Amino acid sequence: MAQLWGGRFTKETDKLVYDFNASISFDKRFYAQDIRGSIAHVTMLARQKILTEEEKNQIIEGLNGIREDVENGTLLITEEYEDIHSFVEANLIGRIGDVGKKLHTGRSRNDQVALDMKLYTRDEILELDGLLKGLLEVLLKLMKEHTETYMPGFTHLQKAQPVTLAHHLGAYFEMFRRDRSRMKDIYRRMNTCPLGAGALAGTTYPLDREYTAELLEFDGPTLNSMDSVSDRDYLIELLSAMSTVMMHLSRFSEEVIIWNSNEYQFVELDDAYSTGSSIMPQKKNPDIAELVRGKTGRVYGALMSLLTAMKGIPLAYNKDMQEDKEQVFDAIDTTKGCLALFTGMLDTMKFRREKMADSAKNGFTNATDAADYLVNHGVPFRDAHGIVGQLVLSCIEKDKALDDLTLEEYKAVSTVFEEDIYEAISMKTCVEMRNVIGAPGKAAMEKVIAQEEAYLAAE
Ligand code: ARG
């Protein structure tokens, strides 16, 4: 048991207590951030003449050595230390002797861990953003390819009106684009440096907090030392943004599962992205999409867990806050993993154009357009709605589509119908006439695609 404290204790910590309290098993993942923060701290301490140049150089050399050895595998981060901060400090003293004991001057583990977590999270936000961008690139590529791939658009999971695959995928493009902008917002709001807040009330040393913040690429120092050590808002925001990413991925996964079903057959998953059954030889299952849908719950759970952990915590630092890490790490790993896998699955998936178009032809997706035809010939919309309703009913009885009715059958319900009704309700017309911005018509879709392309190129 290697601890940074013990002076005022007369007994050893109980082993169970030690294990319960320790965080090394999970905070070891930010050893590099811990070392980076310490290097900035001693650089500032020397500039403020709190340490000598010589002491600073020795400490930095020792810290860099620790990082290198951890990275080349010669130094293992073992659980005999309470946390990553103790591990680094103990190793530093082991390497460079007593001067290593000066590293923690004007610092507490409370502002240190607050810093480490921010440094770690900042990097992860950039990674999440990169993965989201990768997904958007695949979506845009598919959108360009499928501006004339017709498919049914649904409401209530009932066929509603025909759209294109480009349009359907474009909806997800908007969702993931918003997810990216949420990442950017969080980064901007969290980017202040807590180092120098001490345990809770700052320090008596003449620290230059602006300088440390600058060394660590923050926009500036945090402005209240109590808030600095007990702020976990940015983690809650990130968990919320990741929950939204997962909610989007889960909806999309649900659609992939439906599209891949025997009944729909809109898509075929690549063999590399599907799995088989141990008993049923014919099976090719969409396990990746199902796992993404399933893992969404973990990320939501982490959000609820941290919100709940924080709700009763008085100022300033309390050990409850250590509970942020495992949840946030797991949520980040899960979201990143799901983004990468989903992107690969989408990129390799085959879309079955004929099946999609056939499906759009059946199910009366052009009924609104038949009513609009009547409206364009002077029939009030409510009457047109009733007339087409009657036609649909007779189609159901005869097991026909609107396109298959003869002109006589049309005229039997309304004499307004003429030969051009077939052209007016063809799928191509139904889609191509919808050309207001945001609609599936090819011209409108191409304008949107150009805008999204410019957005991706600018980022
Ligand atoms: N492992 C702790 C955490 O994650 C580090 C801070 C320890 N501070 C303290 N006062 N015990 O929150």
Side-chain angles (χ1 to χ4, degrees):
M1 297 191 220
Q3 293 162 158
L4 295 173
W5 40 273
R8 60 105 59 223
F9 289 79
T10 53
K11 267 189 182 175
E12 279 275 298
T13 317
D14 182 276
K15 175 77 174 86
L16 283 177
V17 172
Y18 182 85
D19 291 343
F20 190 63
N21 187 51
S23 54
I24 187 97
S25 64
F26 49 87
D27 63 20
K28 65 181 173 195
R29 78 154 78 189
F30 50 50
Y31 74 89
Q33 285 82 2
D34 196 75
I35 290 173
R36 185 179 175 203
S38 290
I39 290 176
H41 182 61
V42 293
T43 305
M44 179 276 294
L45 289 179
R47 195 175 188 239
Q48 297 302 98
K49 312 266 181 271
I50 300 164
L51 290 187
T52 67
E53 278 297 303
E54 175 54 24
E55 288 168 334
K56 173 193 85 175
N57 291 337
Q58 272 180 273
I59 293 175
I60 292 180
E61 211 184 299
L63 289 169
N64 280 329
I66 294 171
R67 183 176 43 215
E68 280 156 27
D69 289 352
V70 168
E71 274 156 17
N72 66 30
T74 51
L75 178 59
L76 296 179
I77 305 178
T78 58
E79 304 210 351
E80 73 191 273
Y81 300 93
E82 182 186 344
D83 53 31
I84 191 63
H85 326 297
S86 320
F87 166 84
V88 172
E89 193 173 314
N91 272 279
L92 182 69
I93 297 166
R95 264 166 207 250
I96 65 169
D98 278 356
V99 64
K101 295 180 179 168
K102 296 194 173 184
L103 166 65
H104 212 50
T105 312
R107 190 174 68 172
S108 154
R109 273 186 300 169
N110 296 352
D111 58 347
Q112 187 178 359
V113 78
L115 172 71
D116 292 0
M117 197 63 184
K118 273 197 168 177
L119 289 174
Y120 179 83
T121 306
R122 242 177 26 174
D123 291 345
E124 294 294 331
I125 289 177
L126 294 180
E127 285 210 23
L128 282 159
D129 184 64
L131 287 162
L132 283 164
K133 187 172 186 190
L135 175 53
L136 288 177
E137 278 161 357
V138 170
L139 278 169
L140 193 69
K141 182 192 77 177
L142 292 171
M143 284 160 71
K144 284 182 181 167
E145 285 167 22
H146 292 289
T147 54
E148 287 175 284
T149 305
Y150 302 119
M151 65 180 286
F154 297 84
T155 62
H156 314 272
L157 204 52
Q158 307 270 323
K159 291 176 194 176
Q161 291 173 341
V163 295
T164 65
L165 181 58
H167 189 244
H168 196 113
L169 296 177
Y172 285 103
F173 191 101
E174 297 307 312
M175 295 179 228
F176 294 117
R177 181 177 165 166
R178 287 196 294 274
D179 286 331
R180 281 192 83 196
S181 83
R182 270 185 276 275
M183 293 296 160
K184 198 163 267 151
D185 284 350
I186 297 166
Y187 191 105
R188 186 178 45 76
R189 199 164 24 255
M190 69 166 280
N191 200 28
T192 49
C193 184
L195 205 59
L200 77 162
T203 85
T204 53
Y205 297 98
L207 305 187
D208 183 347
R209 295 194 59 214
E210 276 80 10
Y211 182 56
T212 331
E214 194 187 311
L215 288 174
L216 294 167
E217 294 167 273
F218 283 102
D219 296 331
T222 49
L223 297 183
N224 180 289
S225 58
M226 291 224 243
D227 179 54
S228 309
V229 293
S230 59
D231 167 29
R232 299 293 183 271
D233 291 6
Y234 68 100
L235 297 176
I236 291 170
E237 284 188 44
L238 179 61
L239 289 170
S240 164
M242 289 192 297
S243 294
T244 309
V245 170
M246 290 302 297
M247 179 267 289
H248 292 152
L249 285 176
S250 183
R251 291 182 73 178
F252 206 166
S253 293
E254 172 75 11
E255 300 218 79
V256 169
I257 294 162
I258 293 172
W259 292 350
N260 184 62
S261 65
N262 294 341
E263 286 68 23
Y264 278 75
Q265 298 178 20
F266 283 7
V267 297
E268 193 185 330
L269 296 177
D270 195 82
D271 278 2
Y273 281 89
S274 32
T275 48
S277 156
S278 62
I279 176 170
M280 296 167 282
Q282 83 281 14
K283 282 292 195 112
K284 188 171 155 186
N285 295 329
D287 287 26
I288 300 307
E290 289 169 11
L291 276 170
V292 170
R293 190 176 58 183
K295 283 176 191 289
T296 303
R298 284 167 73 146
V299 180
Y300 290 4
L303 171 63
M304 284 307 128
S305 169
L306 188 56
L307 277 169
T308 310
M310 292 303 293
K311 76 182 257 297
I313 302 186
L315 287 175
Y317 179 85
N318 294 261
K319 199 59 176 265
D320 320 38
M321 290 169 176
Q322 178 168 290
E323 284 296 305
D324 60 356
K325 290 173 197 67
E326 284 164 291
Q327 298 281 349
V328 169
F329 294 161
D330 184 69
I332 289 175
D333 293 348
T334 302
T335 309
K336 277 172 33 179
C338 289
L339 276 169
L341 276 155
F342 194 93
T343 302
M345 179 180 71
L346 187 67
D347 201 17
T348 53
M349 204 156 84
K350 298 251 170 336
F351 291 94
R352 306 177 72 176
R353 294 169 193 250
E354 273 84 68
K355 289 271 183 196
M356 289 179 148
D358 284 351
S359 169
K361 269 182 207 143
N362 302 309
F364 307 105
T365 57
N366 50 4
T368 315
D369 299 82
D372 289 346
Y373 172 92
L374 293 173
V375 171
N376 289 333
H377 289 77
V379 180
F381 182 76
R382 192 49 56 212
D383 292 341
H385 188 284
I387 292 167
V388 177
Q390 282 179 51
L391 286 168
V392 167
L393 195 60
S394 69
C395 281
I396 294 170
E397 282 160 7
K398 297 171 190 160
D399 194 21
K400 278 182 164 185
L402 282 173
D403 315 61
D404 305 328
L405 292 177
T406 62
L407 191 55
E408 287 65 45
E409 285 172 312
Y410 271 108
K411 282 197 175 289
V413 183
S414 168
T415 53
V416 177
F417 286 114
E418 293 299 341
E419 193 60 41
D420 60 352
I421 177 63
Y422 298 105
E423 174 64 24
I425 61 166
S426 80
M427 198 156 43
K428 194 168 168 58
T429 313
C430 292
V431 173
E432 295 314 333
M433 291 300 283
R434 290 179 156 76
N435 263 320
V436 292
I437 203 74
K442 192 168 186 227
M445 208 54 234
E446 277 172 351
K447 276 190 206 146
V448 169
I449 288 173
Q451 281 190 33
E452 303 300 19
E453 204 159 25
Y455 150 75
L456 280 181
E459 292 284 307

